[in-house]
Amino acid sequence: MSPRPRSFDLNHALDAAMATFWDKGYAGTSAQDLVDSTGLGRGSLYNTFNSKRGLFEAALQRYDSEWTSRLVSLLEEGDGPARDRIRTVLMSVVDEETAESPEHRGCLVVNTAMEMAGQDPEITEHVRNTFTRMQTALRVSIEQGQRDGSMARNQEPQALAVYLLNSMYGLRVLGKVSDRATLTSLVDQILPPAP
């Protein structure tokens, strides 16, 4: 006997669950919170995702496919010199963190790293993979910038990529308590001046 087809929008449910985990953290999110936010019964949630942990992993993958992929695309597919594309990514973080919203949630992956990395090997690996993906895209952009003349050639691309990655996620954290002018000033300090 084949299983009954799903009668709900999986991406909608994942977006709702992702927002709940983002607001409350993994430990702070109850099964009832997930029922309330997704509008699904516990049976539907557990039949689809097996557990709260399974839903959390799916929400992290959804975040990666939506948020991280968008930033990587800005680096890989944006117009203009590579340095301008890197600045666009940094400023998009500023835009997100200073949007007129009562929530200053930061980055779901950074929040997860702070809460769970080092304690949960699978979640730690997921966080590491997300960071590595972003770091690689930054390194490739830096190398392009060194070729197109928009980035100084005297800096080692891998080391600079790690620095920019650290700075980008630092903007996420500071965005919880800082205003736009402060974060924009930091971007001006973070990104090396054009040669």
Side-chain angles (χ1 to χ4, degrees), residues 23 30 32 35 42 61 76 85-86 88 126 135 191:
D23 287 336
S30 68
Q32 189 60 48
V35 167
R42 290 181 194 230
Q61 290 170 355
E76 293 177 346
R85 297 197 310 270
I86 294 170
T88 295
H126 181 91
Q135 180 181 308
L191 194 60

Side-chain angles (χ1 to χ4, degrees), residues 94-123:
V94 172
D95 291 342
E96 289 168 13
E97 297 307 322
T98 59
E100 290 190 14
S101 166
E103 308 127 347
H104 291 279
R105 299 185 292 191
C107 170
L108 179 61
V109 175
V110 171
N111 295 350
T112 300
M114 299 296 289
E115 181 182 5
M116 301 175 73
Q119 303 171 29
D120 184 311
E122 291 175 0
I123 296 298

Side-chain angles (χ1 to χ4, degrees), residues 34-106:
L34 296 168
V35 167
D36 293 344
S37 66
T38 63
L40 300 175
R42 290 181 194 230
S44 293
L45 286 173
Y46 284 96
N47 286 338
T48 304
F49 301 105
N50 298 319
S51 63
K52 171 184 163 182
R53 166 59 184 273
L55 178 53
F56 183 65
E57 288 185 34
L60 279 177
Q61 290 170 355
R62 176 77 172 159
Y63 181 89
D64 199 43
S65 69
E66 293 292 310
W67 295 79
T68 307
S69 292
R70 186 179 57 77
L71 295 179
V72 168
S73 292
L74 286 173
L75 290 171
E76 293 177 346
E77 300 166 16
D79 296 326
R83 183 181 186 280
D84 292 350
R85 297 197 310 270
I86 294 170
R87 183 177 174 81
T88 295
V89 165
L90 295 174
M91 287 306 300
S92 76
V93 170
V94 172
D95 291 342
E96 289 168 13
E97 297 307 322
T98 59
E100 290 190 14
S101 166
E103 308 127 347
H104 291 279
R105 299 185 292 191

